[in-house]
Amino acid sequence: MARSLPICPQIDTAVLTRVPGVSLDMLFLVVIQALAVIFLARFLHLFLRRYNQPSAVSQILAGVAVGGMGLRNAIVHVDVDDVEDMYGGYISAARVVYMFLVGLDLDLGALRNATRRCVALAYATVAASLLVAAIVSSGMYGSMMHSPVKTPELLAATLMLALTNTSSITVARVAGELNLTVSENGRLVVAAAIITNLICVVGDGLLSSTTLAREKSEDMYRGSPQIKKGFLALAVAGVAVWRVRPMVTRINKRNAGQHHVRGRDLVTILLTIWFISSFQQLLGFDGMPTSLALGMAFPREGPAARTVADALVPPINGIVLPFYFATIGMRLDYNSMSGAIIVPGMLLTLLGLVGKAVGAAAASSYLNIPVSEALRYSVLLNVKGHVDTMNMKFAKSEGVWAEQALYAMIIGNLISTVIAGPAAAAVLRREKEEYRTRHQAVESLGPEQELRMLACAHGAHAAPGILSLVELLVSAPHEQPAVPLFHFFEVPRDRSARTPYHQQTRDDEDKGGPDAVTQMNRVVDVFSRATGVYFRQVDVVSLGATRDAAVACRGAEDAHAGLVLVPCYKEQRFDGKMACRLEERWKLNAEVLARAPCTVGLLVDRPYRHSGTSFQTPISVAPESGRTLVHPCSDRTVTHVIAAVFLGGPDDREAVSFACRLAEHPAIGLTVFRFVKRSTYDTVTSSASRAYAAGGDELDVEFQEGDVDERFLWRFYENYASRELAMYVEKVVESPADVVETLEGMAGMFSLVVAGRGGRQPVELMAGLERWAEAGSEIGPVAEILASNESLEMGSVLVMQQHTVALTPTSR
């Protein structure tokens, strides 16, 4: 087989660029480079991850090192055009596949809730970058790297795309790996990067379709203008996005109740996505927008999404993306490096950064973020990756700039991508510090503010209560961010050491019983379809109470959750009695209460309640199986009538705040019971009645030095009770027996009672309740009285513990 090595000095080097047998050499080169890059990138990341650097930085640096080894010249001679032939197809395919996963993983509810902010940031940075490119292009005409260009209009248009574009795949990868997408600002940056990339893709398509760019083009079919191909590509993409949901829904129905779909269904899905995206590229357009749209339109619930994610994520993250980012560095030609190339490359990076920074700073006031944060986001939005170098042939063939300028652009793309790592690490540190120092409590949030939750469950039997509670907290399901659901399950000890878990799953299904993960999948799929809330299930093998609590608390911190919902250790038996079946559950509750970075809610679920409705079915299904109830303040019908118990203290304020969140749901009727000692009744109520008579203007003066509980209850009365969203009842008690009698009398009246854990409640009300305080040391005396009631008429109980910020001095 002929080789393309320059072993004979008499051979003209111009002939060595095209040799028929060079494809096999290139394939061998790519395999060697991929192996070297993967191992070197992992070694570098062991050091860089200590500084919160994303793996993309390690992979790019590994590509620079591998590219400098000279493998490209030792195996096969390639110039800049051959580099595009060798890497271009792989880069395009990697972008298409990964952007489908990005679309599949996007939190659509959170994006709908912040659409205006995302569009504002994207438009501001695009407009500023276009303005900068238009200004500098006039001074570069006729002298773009010492090579005259065809027209100033073409140079300006190409430079605008180069400075404006953002590598959405790089930003999505960096943000996803550093877990920036859980915060509102992190999602803002990712969405702005995607919007910017899509704008530039459309602009590039329009530029290549104009008569100016089509002059003497060889790849156009006779009688088939490129503009007609654009309409054809748009029509195919629209039909594919429109039909993807019905097609996947049919596949899910055929595989209902399964953890994964059949192999042929998976192959059908992947081939369909690949064919549609490749058809766009065959017509001469970028297939990335179509693959992103297909991923966004793909149904999240059901076994199809799980199967596609499980099949694509490991090879994409382990092989495809490392080599994708490494090719940014491997494109460098060290023999051509000089100041005439490095300086323009740095200049292109600086110009792009200036445009992004001006736009982000201009939009910071509208986005309500500090200018310093906006400047950090501008560095991430200036990441270029491969987006500029993908159209190098077009720019070179049209005479936009010389070959040296293309090398300068590679340098600029490399610099912009590498410096994004420290910027992302700075954003990550800021987000973590802000989360840890903020009061993560429901009381601190307004009714319109986003409540991020994390739910935990031990199995499919206990999951409906938690999921129903989450549904009631969501007023607009299509705008609610994804709710992480941590499923803790145990692997059979007799086989866990010998048989892999995926094989155990198949064996259990063959015996007629689905495994724990599949059972949970069924419950989550039902609730997702019925409620519209997207639950992101995370399966965790239970390794003991301490480790499980650490996983739950770390997950809450990673998700920036303001509330963690955990099943209580008290479980209802078939006869209605409440008991602690597993001591590990009790230890888990204690560990979570002690270590949680936010408010904790322990749900004492009663799935066998006789009267009324229980938290076992979604709201859309509950009216069919439960009786119709009347709202306590009006004549409208509701599905659940709940109560909140208030004695005093931060935990009780958190319980009432949580109940008020539930009261915003039209299917909920709320009654708040406040217990007051008769000896202190006149003192407690006098200040509140005077403030009510004086009006809202004197509220702050009246309570400036008053009790926090009184101010909180006044706000509750003003915002909820006066608007007939909730009923306020004061119970005057004289002895502990009155408290116990009132609490036990709630049986049959309410499907849920929300109470504070206690520990910081008024002493006069806690006197005489020591027996219940000792028995329920983890849930408090009030919750213990409610949870230990063995009547089948008693509803579920939710025990709330408010988060406390630990104020520790920082050393300078």
Side-chain angles (χ1 to χ4, degrees):
M1 183 179 63
R3 300 291 298 276
S4 60
L5 295 176
I7 57 176
C8 183
Q10 288 80 12
I11 298 179
D12 187 4
T13 56
V15 184
L16 297 176
T17 58
R18 299 291 179 187
V19 178
V22 78
S23 58
L24 186 59
D25 293 337
M26 284 188 177
L27 178 62
F28 179 68
L29 170 64
V30 168
V31 172
I32 295 298
Q33 287 181 333
L35 293 176
V37 160
I38 292 174
F39 286 106
L40 183 57
R42 290 184 178 180
F43 175 77
L44 292 175
H45 194 57
L46 292 176
F47 172 76
L48 293 179
R49 69 179 180 183
R50 302 177 183 178
Y51 303 96
N52 295 324
Q53 295 300 301
S55 61
V57 175
S58 304
Q59 291 155 6
I60 293 174
L61 296 179
V64 173
V66 172
M69 293 179 180
L71 296 176
R72 201 164 62 189
N73 295 326
I75 299 177
V76 58
H77 173 78
V78 290
D79 58 12
V80 66
D81 291 331
D82 291 324
V83 170
E84 292 309 306
D85 293 336
M86 183 170 59
Y87 297 142
Y90 173 82
I91 292 171
S92 299
R95 292 176 74 246
V96 166
V97 176
Y98 184 70
M99 288 309 293
F100 172 77
L101 287 180
V102 170
L104 184 62
D105 193 59
L106 278 179
D107 196 341
L108 300 182
L111 291 179
R112 293 190 189 100
N113 199 21
T115 301
R116 293 184 178 179
R117 302 179 76 246
C118 299
V119 173
L121 179 60
Y123 282 3
T125 53
V126 167
S129 300
L130 292 176
L131 180 61
V132 171
I135 294 174
V136 300
S137 62
S138 59
M140 302 174 67
Y141 175 63
S143 180
M144 186 61 184
M145 296 297 293
H146 310 292
S147 176
V149 298
K150 182 181 296 184
T151 61
E153 294 82 5
L154 189 57
L155 172 63
T158 307
L159 195 60
M160 284 180 179
L161 290 176
L163 296 184
T164 304
N165 212 343
T166 300
S167 176
S168 57
I169 182 173
T170 306
V171 176
R173 174 61 176 168
V174 171
E177 185 178 358
L178 297 182
N179 210 27
L180 296 177
T181 52
V182 298
S183 65
E184 186 176 357
N185 290 334
R187 296 192 298 265
L188 172 68
V189 175
V190 175
I194 293 176
I195 294 174
T196 303
N197 199 181
L198 294 178
I199 292 175
C200 292
V201 167
V202 174
D204 180 70
L206 294 176
L207 181 63
S208 62
S209 301
T210 58
T211 56
L212 182 65
R214 290 191 295 109
E215 217 173 85
K216 296 181 180 181
S217 182
E218 297 179 357
D219 60 344
M220 298 297 166
Y221 298 102
R222 293 182 179 180
S224 178
Q226 188 73 355
I227 191 68
K228 294 183 179 180
K229 295 182 181 180
F231 283 113
L232 177 59
L234 186 62
V236 171
V239 172
V241 174
W242 174 53
R243 295 300 303 170
V244 64
R245 177 170 287 274
M247 183 190 75
V248 176
T249 301
R250 286 196 297 268
I251 294 177
N252 285 333
K253 289 181 179 179
R254 288 202 302 266
N255 298 271
Q258 303 297 321
H259 182 65
H260 285 154
V261 299
R262 299 182 180 91
R264 63 173 180 269
D265 293 330
L266 174 62
V267 173
T268 301
I269 294 174
L270 296 180
L271 289 180
T272 302
I273 296 171
W274 180 262
F275 173 76
I276 295 172
S277 301
S278 300
F279 183 75
Q280 308 289 318
Q281 297 177 351
L282 182 64
L283 295 177
F285 298 95
D286 195 345
M288 185 273 291
T290 303
S291 64
L292 176 66
L294 290 174
M296 295 176 65
F298 203 95
R300 268 64 170 175
E301 69 279 357
R306 290 191 295 268
T307 307
V308 171
D310 292 344
L312 293 182
V313 169
I316 292 294
N317 291 340
I319 300 175
V320 176
L321 285 182
F323 191 63
Y324 172 87
F325 289 113
T327 52
I328 299 176
M330 288 190 293
R331 286 177 176 226
L332 293 178
D333 188 356
Y334 295 92
N335 298 325
S336 303
M337 290 294 101
S338 64
I341 294 179
I342 297 177
V343 173
M346 299 177 63
L347 179 61
L348 289 174
T349 302
L350 183 60
L351 290 175
L353 186 58
V354 169
K356 301 294 185 182
V358 170
S364 61
S365 59
Y366 175 79
L367 300 175
N368 196 22
I369 59 176
V371 178
S372 58
E373 286 295 304
L375 295 179
R376 293 190 186 98
Y377 299 155
S378 66
V379 178
L380 293 176
L381 292 177
N382 191 45
V383 173
K384 304 300 181 183
H386 286 291
V387 293
D388 289 341
T389 54
M390 291 186 67
N391 295 320
M392 288 169 56
K393 285 187 176 181
F394 165 77
K396 185 178 178 181
S397 63
E398 294 296 328
V400 178
W401 44 43
E403 184 174 314
Q404 294 86 349
L406 305 182
Y407 285 116
M409 181 168 288
I410 294 176
I411 292 291
N413 295 350
L414 178 64
I415 296 174
S416 66
T417 307
V418 171
I419 64 176
V427 173
L428 178 64
R429 288 193 299 269
R430 170 85 179 198
E431 294 287 346
K432 285 185 176 181
E433 180 182 359
E434 185 177 357
Y435 176 78
R436 291 172 179 172
T437 56
R438 188 191 303 133
H439 189 207
Q440 301 295 340
V442 182
E443 181 187 358
S444 302
L445 297 177
E448 71 286 348
Q449 288 183 283
E450 173 187 308
L451 174 61
R452 295 196 62 86
M453 298 170 281
L454 183 141
C456 299
H458 298 295
H461 175 72
I466 293 287
L467 299 183
S468 296
L469 203 56
V470 172
E471 177 199 4
L472 296 174
L473 287 169
V474 177
S475 57
H478 296 290
E479 296 182 359
Q480 171 66 29
V483 179
L485 174 63
F486 278 33
H487 171 218
F488 296 96
F489 66 98
E490 296 182 357
V491 178
R493 295 182 180 181
D494 56 340
R495 302 183 56 195
S496 59
R498 295 176 296 167
T499 309
Y501 178 71
H502 67 278
Q503 295 182 10
Q504 296 177 29
T505 303
R506 302 284 80 77
D507 292 344
D508 291 339
E509 290 180 353
D510 293 339
K511 293 179 181 181
D515 66 297
V517 174
T518 304
Q519 292 178 8
M520 180 62 72
N521 292 151
R522 296 176 180 178
V523 175
V524 172
D525 291 342
V526 169
F527 271 86
S528 295
R529 286 192 297 267
T531 65
V533 180
Y534 176 41
F535 295 95
R536 196 185 301 271
Q537 180 178 336
V538 180
D539 300 310
V540 182
V541 178
S542 180
L543 299 175
T546 303
R547 294 186 179 181
D548 292 350
V551 171
C553 294
R554 185 168 59 251
E557 187 172 355
D558 292 340
H560 288 201
L563 173 66
V564 175
L565 295 174
V566 183
C568 185
Y569 63 90
K570 282 183 174 291
E571 300 180 47
Q572 188 180 31
R573 302 189 316 195
F574 294 105
D575 57 0
K577 295 184 178 180
M578 307 298 295
C580 177
R581 295 178 176 177
L582 296 175
E583 187 178 357
E584 287 295 319
R585 302 279 176 86
W586 176 82
K587 293 180 180 179
L588 176 63
N589 288 169
E591 291 284 344
V592 172
L593 290 170
R595 301 167 59 177
C598 58
T599 290
V600 178
L602 301 181
L603 178 62
V604 184
D605 194 17
R606 295 180 185 266
Y608 308 115
R609 181 174 182 245
H610 280 181
S611 63
T613 55
S614 61
F615 292 92
Q616 298 300 308
T617 56
I619 288 295
S620 59
V621 182
E624 300 178 2
S625 57
R627 65 184 182 183
T628 302
L629 304 175
V630 180
H631 194 279
C633 296
S634 62
D635 57 353
R636 62 185 177 93
T637 59
V638 294
T639 306
H640 293 286
V641 178
I642 67 174
V645 178
F646 184 88
L647 280 74
D651 290 347
D652 284 7
R653 294 198 301 270
E654 192 74 354
V656 174
S657 299
F658 182 90
C660 291
R661 279 267 178 174
L662 293 176
E664 297 285 345
H665 199 285
I668 296 295
L670 170 64
T671 302
V672 174
F673 291 89
R674 184 188 186 187
F675 289 84
V676 181
K677 195 77 170 178
R678 180 174 295 277
S679 59
T680 60
Y681 178 76
D682 295 334
T683 305
V684 168
T685 57
S686 60
S687 58
S689 27
R690 287 197 305 270
Y692 177 74
D697 294 337
E698 299 182 12
L699 179 63
D700 293 337
V701 178
E702 190 73 30
F703 287 120
Q704 186 173 3
E705 297 180 358
D707 186 70
V708 178
D709 293 338
E710 298 300 324
R711 286 181 288 174
F712 171 80
L713 287 177
W714 171 253
R715 287 194 295 268
F716 158 75
Y717 188 87
E718 188 178 47
N719 296 330
Y720 292 92
S722 62
R723 296 165 51 200
E724 296 187 349
L725 292 177
M727 177 177 286
Y728 175 72
V729 178
E730 284 190 356
K731 301 293 293 185
V732 181
V733 296
E734 294 183 355
S735 63
D738 295 337
V739 177
V740 176
E741 180 182 359
T742 303
L743 295 176
E744 291 182 345
M746 294 181 179
M749 298 176 58
F750 305 102
S751 56
L752 175 68
V753 181
V754 187
R757 184 190 176 197
R760 291 170 284 184
Q761 295 168 327
V763 179
E764 63 272 11
L765 291 174
M766 292 293 100
L769 301 179
E770 291 80 5
R771 178 167 64 91
W772 289 276
E774 294 177 359
S777 58
E778 303 303 329
I779 61 177
V782 174
E784 177 64 24
I785 296 173
L786 294 168
S788 59
N789 190 297
E790 297 180 355
S791 171
L792 288 174
E793 307 294 326
M794 178 63 75
S796 301
V797 181
L798 183 67
V799 187
M800 302 295 295
Q801 175 185 271
Q802 189 179 81
H803 172 246
T804 303
V805 179
L807 299 177
T808 57
T810 57
S811 57
R812 296 287 181 181

